[in-house]
Amino acid sequence: ERLRYLAQHDALSNLPNRTHLCEELDRILINGGSQTRLAVLKIDIDHFSDLNGWLGLSAGDKVIQIVAERLRAVVDPEDTGNIVARVAGDEFAVVHRKADSRASEMLLAARICRSLARPFNVNNRQVRLSAGIGIALTPADGDDGERLMKSATLALAHGKLQGRGRIQFFTPDLDSEMEARRIVEQAVANAFATGGFTVHYQPIYAAGSGALAGFEALARLPREDGGLIQPAVFVPAIERMGMINQLGA
């Protein structure tokens, strides 16, 4: 029994792990059938790697434990049947039973954000956290555990692109939007690895005489079909990937 518990729980936070969460989520959905109403909230601590660098790894572990305690206090899994899990390094998930509306889930997400934002001390340093939250609801956003987790993850990723502390519901267009973003980022990574960017030279003319004064070098990213990915699309991708200083190097 002890080995089973260890296999299903995260040792640091003492919360269910991702595997156990998905098993329980599927069990709830199967037992409840099409009438099941619940929400999956995916929670990611903003800039946790920076926090680890500032405080140190052992203090970062303490932060994870404090986050787990605060999530349990808000969600109250023992009395409600809700589930709180740690699914990755600084990522958590909540299964909220009897979710009846987007409004109720927005209120829960806001309570979570307020709880995490309360300052606390670690190693005599005051810490303030913010978190992004992505929300998926049954049945619209998925009718099995894997699909619901994916929908919540897509919502979280989209929200974090907008800034810190964002609460984002899943919408169907996020599937295609995030896939398009992934394709562009893959094309950018390949171009840096293989020298795939091309340079187009745009003439510059003197304002007074109209004489040719020089050329401006412009980076372009070819597509596999022979067209070009526009700079308005690939430059933000390069910035997100932290590679902007390599462009033109």
Side-chain angles (χ1 to χ4, degrees):
E1 189 66 27
R2 176 62 177 168
L3 291 177
R4 178 181 175 83
Y5 180 88
L6 292 174
Q8 294 178 335
H9 289 76
D10 169 60
L12 178 61
S13 65
N14 205 33
L15 293 175
N17 58 26
R18 182 186 181 90
T19 299
H20 190 37
L21 170 72
C22 291
E23 290 172 349
E24 285 298 295
L25 185 53
D26 281 333
R27 182 187 61 79
I28 293 168
L29 292 167
I30 291 170
N31 291 342
S34 61
Q35 301 305 310
T36 304
R37 294 294 180 267
L38 59 78
V40 173
L41 291 76
K42 188 82 174 289
I43 303 154
D44 180 82
I45 306 303
D46 291 324
H47 304 300
F48 184 73
S49 60
D50 295 341
L51 195 65
N52 261 338
W54 175 50
L55 294 173
L57 293 179
S58 61
D61 288 348
K62 179 61 177 176
V63 171
I64 291 294
Q65 292 170 335
I66 291 171
V67 169
E69 291 170 3
R70 293 189 175 185
L71 289 177
R72 273 193 292 254
V74 172
V75 177
D76 194 14
E78 285 76 15
D79 291 340
T80 60
N82 297 328
I83 303 171
V84 183
R86 184 186 181 203
V87 296
D90 63 335
E91 292 186 358
F92 298 81
V94 168
V95 176
H96 184 212
R97 308 285 298 271
K98 300 180 181 178
D100 54 11
S101 68
R102 288 167 66 98
S104 67
E105 299 318 297
M106 177 60 81
L107 288 173
L108 174 60
R111 287 174 56 207
I112 289 172
C113 288
R114 287 196 300 270
S115 177
L116 296 181
R118 295 200 316 270
F120 56 90
N121 290 322
V122 176
N123 290 354
N124 296 318
R125 295 183 177 182
Q126 188 176 81
V127 177
R128 293 176 181 269
L129 299 179
S130 64
I133 302 179
I135 305 174
L137 298 165
T138 60
D141 305 333
D143 56 8
D144 63 68
E146 182 177 351
R147 177 64 242 193
L148 281 167
M149 286 293 289
K150 179 182 178 182
S151 295
T153 299
L154 287 171
L156 172 65
H158 181 78
K160 289 186 77 68
L161 289 172
Q162 315 308 312
R164 298 167 61 113
R166 302 283 296 194
I167 300 170
Q168 174 72 48
F169 285 90
F170 175 80
T171 55
D173 60 296
L174 292 183
D175 261 332
S176 55
E177 180 181 327
M178 297 306 291
E179 177 62 14
R181 192 184 301 274
R182 186 197 65 79
I183 290 171
V184 172
E185 291 180 353
Q186 185 60 57
V188 165
N190 291 342
F192 275 116
T194 64
F197 289 101
T198 62
V199 179
H200 290 201
Y201 294 94
Q202 178 172 294
I204 301 173
Y205 297 97
S209 65
L212 181 65
F215 294 88
E216 180 182 10
L218 304 172
R220 293 293 183 261
L221 180 56
R223 295 197 310 253
E224 291 183 356
D225 63 5
L228 293 173
I229 299 175
Q230 295 300 311
V233 175
F234 74 75
V235 171
I238 294 173
E239 291 173 338
R240 287 195 303 271
M241 298 165 72
M243 305 175 75
I244 195 67
N245 291 333
Q246 298 180 40
L247 189 63

